[in-house]
Amino acid sequence: MSSFTLNSIRIRGFRGFVKEEVVSTQAPCVLLSGGNRSGKSSLINAIEWCLFGKKVAEVTTYHLRERKDWQILNRNSPDGYVELTFASDTETLIVFREIKKKGAANFYFQKNGGTREQDEAALHALLHVTPADFLSLVHLHPEIIRSFVVEQRRYREDALNRLLGLSDLENLIDGIQKVSSEQFLASFDSKFEDVEIRLEERLNTRQRDLQQATDTAKADAIEESLFNEAGASTICGEIAKRLTEFSEECDVPTPSLPNFMILTGQRTFLPTARSTLENLRIKHPSVQSQKQLISEQQALGNLRDAYVESATKLQDQEKQLKKARAKETIEEDLKKARTRLKQQKDRLAQAERTAKILSEALEYFQKFAIKGSIRCPLCLSDTTAEHVREHAEQELAKPLFRDIQAKIAEIQKHIEKLEDELDGRCRLEQAAKRWQKKTQDNALEIGKALRRVLTSKDDPVAILEKRLQVIVEQQNKIQASIQRWHERLEIVNGSIAKLELILRILDFKQQLDSLSRVSQTPAFASLQNARTAAEKFVADLDTLSASLVTMVRDERRSKLDAVKHEISHIFKNLTGRPDFANLEIDLDDPDLSVSVTNQSESAKATALLNQGDLNCAALSIFLAVAGSTGLAHRLGLVILDDPGQSLDTHHKARLAEVLNSLCERKQLLIGSQDDEFIELARQAISKKKKLLRFTSWDPNTGPVLETE
Amino acid sequence: MQPAAFLSVKKLSELFPYDFGKLCQILAALAFRAAGFTHVVCRISEGVDIDLDGQLGKYAVEVKTTRGEEIDVAEKDVSGLAKRKHDGYKPLIAALRIGFLSDWVLADAGSLQPSHIRVERLKLLALDNLQSELQKNFAEVLMKLSAKIITERVDSPIVFLRSVLEAERIQTPD
């Protein structure tokens, strides 16, 4: 299959182009001449954009910083397009791509005037070229040359990859390596660590508990061989046997104890055994007897106390009554006092009557003037009225009434006292009767309690004391039996305590074991599986990344090996250096050092070559790769954008000669602002040439082109 | 790892921080012996840590312990294993991370390069059956010997364990 060469470019609204221009490129060599901002680079870039679309403007695709924020559509155009017409010996190919501010843009390619096809991948398959290949095999971008000569390995490697068409693979490797696998895996590690720390904390706590329980059990002289389910079962058996014996002895139903062969049964056995034991403490006949005796002792003691209290009270009352009765004159004195009281009251009445007469007499004497002698009613002497009046006044002035009243009061007080004494004696008599009744009742109660009839001749207290003495003697006899019973129970209690310690140990052991079962839970397994999957994913990524790195290296080596001699050949022709004629790239060197060599020596290109030679080195690699017939694609076109930059006249002339040689195999499309280089190329290239001069550029109309 | 085994490992690592790696190596050698390897060589000073031969296969094992997520594989480890491989031993790496949720990982070391390697990554290359044998027998050997190592606490537990290796007819060339 023959290669396609570019016959024409129809362009409008693309970058610097405004109105439609149809540029014929039908010649083995097309020279584009013009200064900066004249539109020649727009024309060169239009070819790449038409073939590959907006990908060419993506910095990440080519690492061309120049294309950052690249504006494809001309600022003054609502839409634009580029149409390329290619021809080979037997075929024609039209590629059309449109750009619009709004609405869907059209793309198609048309082979031999046939159907318009819109599958871009099909176009790339037809031309056997990818966007990455295009930059290495067809289009030499000035930025790539600049990158290649910088000293940093990263930029040099980028440039070399672009020269060799390996950028897309490198991008893929970068993408894989940028996956933050460390953080990704660390998140799993962190989750596991959290779980592990918590489990370890619990483990340590449980271990301490277990150690303490074990120490306590050992201190209680429990053999270590019993610190297991079987040991606990043995002790349970002993306890059960004893409890059964004791129940029979106490004549109570045999206890229903849980199955103690397994740990869960042993756990329920413990409280059941304990409660059974506590029940047996009070069920023994001796304990029952003691209980009855104590009860009787308390009852008789209460009766005794009650009787003694009532008898004592009765005695007191009787003593006081006796004392009160000793005063036998109370009633006589009361009678005499009442007589005296009557006499005094009579006397007072008499005096009052006399006073009335005297008052009336005085009133009479004051009212009437009596003359002559009259008998004095008081002293019965014949006297004068005056004398009678004076006598009456004297009599009335005497303190007779006060004396009588005082005596009456005194007698009344005396009477009250006597009446109180008499009442007190009555109360004493009543109280004595009550206590006597109470004492008799208590004696009856005592009789009932002792089951005998007490006569008045019996001393209930003495009888009670005798009975209480008997009770104490009986209690003393039972106490020894109870002591023995408790001692036997204590042995079982000790076994229960042992069992409790062993069960505690077993519980802690079980808790420890259960901690280890966390790693057997579905949740943990799920987490572990996810972790393993993550680890595998990262491992696969690492493997993939390593494979891609190897692949890129191999591809790089393969491509460079194919053009190795051609690179040196071109480099020799371009630089004409007599000392170091060969150019080699050391792919085994991690720094991808570019060396210049001769038959006996080798030196790093960056250390030895000047800027012009370094540019020549980059050009040599590109031209060798682009001109290689071993690296097949169907674009018989090589585009060089400003290839003569940083070259002196001598080097430019040599480059022109090399391009002449390349033009034998490829159509050349060379853009340059360097008139000298354009002229040198015109002279050196022996094939037919077409010169397009970009004379000026206007924002509203675009570039002005002149064709020679 | 079972709680009791883990607690023993932890205790040993705390009591013998400098000898812990060697302790684990010797205990692992004893575990391999218990697993049925008839010929076991345990190199305590230099060389690949353990050689194994028997019905289960012929292996050379480099033993590593770590408190973190990674083990350090040195150039000498890789070259040592490569030599043993040349002698017909399949190279393995046995890694023990000290953690309650961890256990021995026994992995194919044929493609190992000197670097820090995640223990989790090694699991992807694990020889599951042999690894299970190591895990099980290591726990048993550990429970059998750890109390004695700890309670008798001689200046170096290695001295005591050497006698155990001898008793088990495990060769210790150095």
Side-chain angles (χ1 to χ4, degrees):
Chain A
M1 278 189 291
S2 59
S3 300
F4 286 105
T5 53
L6 185 64
N7 281 357
S8 69
I9 305 169
R10 188 163 69 92
I11 183 169
R12 192 185 72 140
F14 178 83
R15 289 185 59 76
F17 285 84
V18 182
K19 60 186 178 61
E20 183 180 273
E21 295 281 352
V22 178
V23 182
S24 169
T25 57
Q26 197 168 7
C29 177
V30 180
L31 297 165
L32 309 177
S33 167
N36 287 332
R37 291 194 303 279
S38 63
K40 65 181 188 312
S41 289
S42 290
L43 189 69
I44 289 171
N45 291 327
I47 300 167
E48 191 181 346
W49 178 76
C50 184
L51 290 171
F52 302 109
K54 65 179 180 184
K55 273 188 182 176
V56 300
E58 288 169 2
V59 176
T60 51
T61 309
Y62 298 116
H63 296 241
L64 290 179
R65 286 173 292 279
E66 189 183 281
R67 289 187 182 175
K68 191 167 184 287
D69 303 324
W70 222 38
Q71 179 138 9
I72 294 169
L73 182 63
N74 181 273
R75 282 174 175 275
N76 296 319
S77 305
D79 52 29
Y81 54 81
V82 175
E83 182 186 84
L84 306 176
T85 305
F86 292 96
S88 72
D89 294 344
T90 56
E91 295 167 297
T92 59
L93 175 69
I94 293 171
V95 184
F96 177 86
R97 188 181 295 275
E98 191 179 26
I99 183 167
K100 285 182 176 177
K101 266 186 185 164
K102 289 179 183 173
N106 193 14
F107 165 83
Y108 65 86
F109 71 94
Q110 190 177 25
K111 194 176 156 191
N112 300 327
T115 319
R116 289 180 175 182
E117 293 185 51
Q118 293 181 320
D119 181 0
E120 292 192 37
L123 172 67
H124 302 154
L126 173 71
L127 295 174
H128 291 225
V129 70
T130 64
D133 287 337
F134 191 81
L135 275 181
S136 66
L137 302 172
V138 180
H139 181 178
L140 177 64
H141 194 280
E143 191 175 323
I144 294 174
I145 298 176
R146 284 198 295 275
S147 298
F148 185 72
V149 297
V150 297
E151 291 193 15
Q152 287 97 329
R153 176 190 178 275
R154 200 180 119 224
Y155 294 119
R156 192 158 58 245
E157 188 175 9
D158 279 352
L160 186 63
N161 285 330
R162 279 175 290 185
L163 280 171
L164 299 173
L166 300 171
S167 290
D168 50 352
L169 285 176
E170 275 296 324
N171 288 344
L172 189 57
I173 293 167
D174 278 354
I176 291 168
Q177 288 174 346
K178 275 177 191 163
V179 172
S180 184
S181 54
E182 277 183 19
Q183 274 187 342
F184 181 50
L185 295 177
S187 67
F188 280 97
D189 293 345
S190 158
K191 280 191 176 61
F192 265 80
E193 210 172 300
D194 284 349
V195 176
E196 197 167 58
I197 286 169
R198 286 178 199 181
L199 284 175
E200 280 190 31
E201 281 170 359
R202 288 190 185 194
L203 183 69
N204 290 331
T205 310
R206 290 287 164 271
Q207 179 62 22
R208 274 197 298 276
D209 292 343
L210 176 62
Q211 192 57 51
Q212 279 176 2
T214 308
D215 291 346
T216 310
K218 284 180 181 171
D220 280 9
I222 304 173
E223 288 172 28
E224 205 167 343
S225 61
L226 294 172
F227 295 170
N228 48 50
E229 205 173 71
S233 176
T234 306
I235 293 178
C236 286
E238 289 169 8
I239 294 168
K241 189 181 165 197
R242 291 290 182 93
L243 290 177
T244 306
E245 283 171 15
F246 291 168
S247 298
E248 286 167 1
E249 201 174 315
C250 293
D251 200 21
V252 293
T254 308
S256 171
L257 296 167
N259 175 15
F260 48 78
M261 299 308 286
I262 51 169
L263 187 58
T264 47
Q266 290 161 3
R267 285 202 189 102
T268 20
F269 178 89
L270 183 70
T272 314
R274 190 170 276 146
S275 66
T276 306
L277 186 73
E278 289 310 311
N279 191 39
L280 285 171
R281 276 188 198 284
I282 54 167
K283 292 292 180 187
H284 193 268
S286 299
V287 177
Q288 291 296 314
S289 299
Q290 189 190 43
K291 197 178 166 187
Q292 284 172 3
L293 286 172
I294 289 169
S295 174
E296 190 184 354
Q297 191 179 32
Q298 282 175 347
L300 293 180
N302 290 341
L303 284 173
R304 180 193 59 197
D305 293 346
Y307 179 83
V308 168
E309 187 192 1
S310 62
T312 309
K313 290 275 184 189
L314 176 61
Q315 213 171 1
D316 284 352
Q317 294 298 323
E318 281 176 340
K319 265 185 196 172
Q320 287 178 37
L321 191 59
K322 194 177 176 184
K323 200 175 168 185
R325 279 177 180 160
K327 285 187 177 178
E328 289 173 352
T329 56
I330 291 177
E331 282 151 335
E332 189 61 30
D333 289 349
L334 191 61
K335 196 176 174 184
K336 283 178 183 173
R338 281 176 181 151
T339 307
R340 274 193 289 126
L341 181 64
K342 189 175 181 299
Q343 286 172 347
Q344 288 301 323
K345 283 182 178 174
D346 289 348
R347 200 178 149 209
L348 184 62
Q350 182 59 42
E352 280 171 350
R353 277 193 303 274
T354 307
K356 191 180 176 188
I357 293 167
L358 285 173
S359 297
E360 285 172 353
L362 275 175
E363 197 178 339
Y364 179 78
F365 281 120
Q366 282 169 355
K367 212 179 266 182
F368 304 104
I370 299 167
K371 294 181 180 176
S373 172
I374 59 169
R375 184 170 285 258
C376 177
L378 298 169
C379 60
L380 299 176
S381 63
D382 293 327
T383 187
T384 64
E386 182 62 24
H387 168 80
V388 173
R389 191 185 52 82
E390 284 176 0
H391 198 168
E393 281 175 354
Q394 282 172 0
E395 284 297 320
L396 283 173
K398 282 182 182 174
L400 177 64
F401 288 100
R402 283 199 303 274
D403 288 350
I404 295 169
Q405 282 167 341
K407 276 185 182 172
I408 287 171
E410 187 188 334
I411 292 165
Q412 278 177 333
K413 203 172 179 184
H414 183 62
I415 287 170
E416 280 171 14
K417 190 187 168 194
L418 289 172
E419 282 173 348
D420 283 348
E421 282 179 9
L422 199 58
D423 284 349
R425 200 175 71 187
C426 285
R427 282 196 299 275
L428 282 172
E429 280 170 352
Q430 283 167 358
K433 277 180 189 170
R434 280 200 307 277
W435 284 112
Q436 191 173 27
K437 172 83 169 52
K438 184 94 176 167
T439 306
Q440 283 168 352
D441 289 347
N442 284 339
L444 276 174
E445 286 297 315
I446 290 167
K448 276 184 197 169
L450 295 174
R451 292 186 189 83
R452 61 180 283 185
V453 179
L454 296 180
T455 64
S456 57
K457 290 177 184 173
D458 289 327
D459 179 357
V461 173
I463 295 167
L464 269 177
E465 289 296 348
K466 272 186 186 173
R467 175 62 193 153
L468 286 168
Q469 185 58 38
V470 171
I471 289 171
V472 169
E473 283 164 10
Q474 285 176 332
Q475 279 180 331
N476 288 341
K477 279 181 195 168
I478 291 170
Q479 191 57 41
S481 164
I482 291 172
Q483 182 66 31
R484 283 195 301 280
W485 173 243
H486 282 160
E487 282 167 6
R488 290 165 70 201
L489 292 180
E490 270 316 301
I491 293 169
V492 181
N493 199 31
S495 297
I496 290 175
K498 272 185 188 179
L499 177 64
E500 187 176 16
L501 283 172
I502 292 172
L503 289 181
R504 193 183 298 168
I505 290 169
L506 295 181
D507 279 347
F508 288 137
K509 278 185 177 175
Q510 198 174 51
Q511 285 173 23
L512 275 176
D513 287 344
S514 72
L515 284 175
S516 69
R517 281 198 289 278
V518 169
S519 59
Q520 292 155 15
T521 59
F524 185 86
S526 169
L527 186 59
Q528 179 61 55
N529 289 341
R531 190 186 200 190
T532 306
E535 197 71 47
K536 186 162 188 328
F537 173 69
V538 172
D540 289 346
L541 278 183
D542 288 349
T543 308
L544 179 64
S545 174
S547 301
L548 285 171
V549 167
T550 307
M551 196 173 121
V552 166
R553 280 187 191 152
D554 290 349
E555 182 106 3
R556 202 151 56 192
R557 188 180 300 279
S558 162
K559 282 188 172 178
L560 282 174
D561 281 349
V563 293
K564 188 177 172 182
H565 296 295
E566 185 64 12
I567 290 172
S568 282
H569 177 69
I570 296 174
F571 180 70
K572 196 187 295 177
N573 287 339
L574 280 178
T575 59
R577 286 188 76 105
D579 50 354
F580 291 95
N582 300 319
L583 185 72
E584 288 179 7
I585 299 169
D586 186 357
L587 295 176
D588 296 323
D589 179 2
D591 285 339
L592 288 173
S593 58
V594 179
S595 305
V596 282
T597 63
N598 57 30
Q599 286 179 335
S600 56
E601 284 181 282
S602 173
K604 281 199 171 182
T606 48
L608 197 73
L609 302 183
N610 59 27
Q611 190 68 30
D613 284 349
L614 283 170
N615 278 9
C616 289
L619 277 167
S620 303
I621 297 166
F622 172 77
L623 293 173
V625 173
S628 168
T629 51
L631 304 169
H633 64 83
R634 293 197 65 199
L635 278 174
L637 171 71
V638 172
I639 302 169
L640 296 126
D641 194 358
D642 211 4
Q645 63 176 325
S646 302
L647 299 182
D648 60 20
T649 307
H650 185 64
H651 282 94
K652 287 177 200 167
R654 287 176 175 277
L655 174 60
E657 288 297 333
V658 170
L659 293 176
N660 178 43
S661 173
L662 183 63
C663 198
E664 293 293 330
R665 305 188 295 278
K666 300 278 182 179
Q667 179 190 26
L668 300 182
L669 185 67
I670 304 166
S672 178
Q673 58 180 334
D674 183 352
D675 290 340
E676 184 188 23
F677 176 69
I678 292 289
E679 193 50 39
L680 286 167
R682 285 181 72 181
Q683 289 170 14
I685 295 169
S686 55
K687 293 277 182 185
K688 276 191 179 174
K689 296 167 283 288
K690 181 168 280 199
L691 177 61
L692 296 175
R693 288 194 188 277
F694 288 71
T695 56
S696 62
W697 178 81
D698 183 90
N700 298 315
T701 56
V704 175
L705 274 84
E706 291 175 4
T707 307
E708 285 185 23
Chain B
M1 196 175 275
Q2 285 299 307
F6 164 69
L7 289 167
S8 292
V9 165
K10 200 175 165 201
K11 186 84 177 167
L12 289 177
S13 73
E14 287 163 1
L15 288 175
F16 310 108
Y18 300 110
D19 284 335
F20 180 69
K22 288 293 165 200
L23 278 176
C24 286
Q25 178 195 332
I26 296 170
L27 292 170
L30 291 164
F32 283 124
R33 164 67 92 202
F37 284 98
T38 48
H39 174 76
V40 181
V41 178
C42 183
R43 296 182 189 84
I44 294 168
S45 296
E46 57 182 21
V48 172
D49 292 335
I50 301 169
D51 281 353
L52 302 170
D53 200 351
Q55 285 190 332
L56 294 168
K58 195 171 176 182
Y59 304 98
V61 187
E62 188 63 37
V63 177
K64 297 283 175 188
T65 59
T66 179
R67 287 181 178 278
E69 299 294 339
E70 294 179 342
I71 54 162
D72 291 334
V73 175
E75 180 66 48
K76 68 176 178 58
D77 300 326
V78 174
S79 59
L81 285 170
K83 279 180 196 166
R84 301 309 292 145
K85 187 179 180 183
H86 185 72
D87 296 336
Y89 290 84
K90 183 176 172 64
L92 302 180
I93 189 143
L96 178 64
R97 179 183 166 273
I98 306 168
F100 183 45
L101 295 174
S102 296
D103 208 327
W104 281 100
V105 176
L106 189 63
D108 186 343
S111 58
L112 224 56
Q113 294 298 317
S115 57
H116 306 297
I117 298 173
R118 287 173 55 77
V119 177
E120 284 300 311
R121 177 69 63 92
L122 285 178
K123 285 184 182 173
L124 301 176
L125 304 168
L127 281 71
D128 291 337
N129 292 338
L130 202 52
Q131 179 177 278
S132 297
E133 288 294 325
L134 172 61
Q135 290 173 350
K136 186 184 75 174
N137 289 293
F138 178 82
E140 286 172 11
V141 168
L142 180 70
M143 295 320 293
K144 195 170 145 194
L145 295 175
S146 65
K148 202 158 187 184
I149 297 170
I150 292 166
T151 52
E152 293 198 357
R153 214 185 298 178
V154 282
D155 286 343
S156 167
I158 307 293
V159 177
F160 163 67
L161 286 175
R162 269 184 185 276
S163 66
V164 181
L165 287 172
E166 277 173 31
E168 289 292 328
R169 288 174 290 107
I170 293 174
Q171 294 175 35
T172 50
D174 42 5

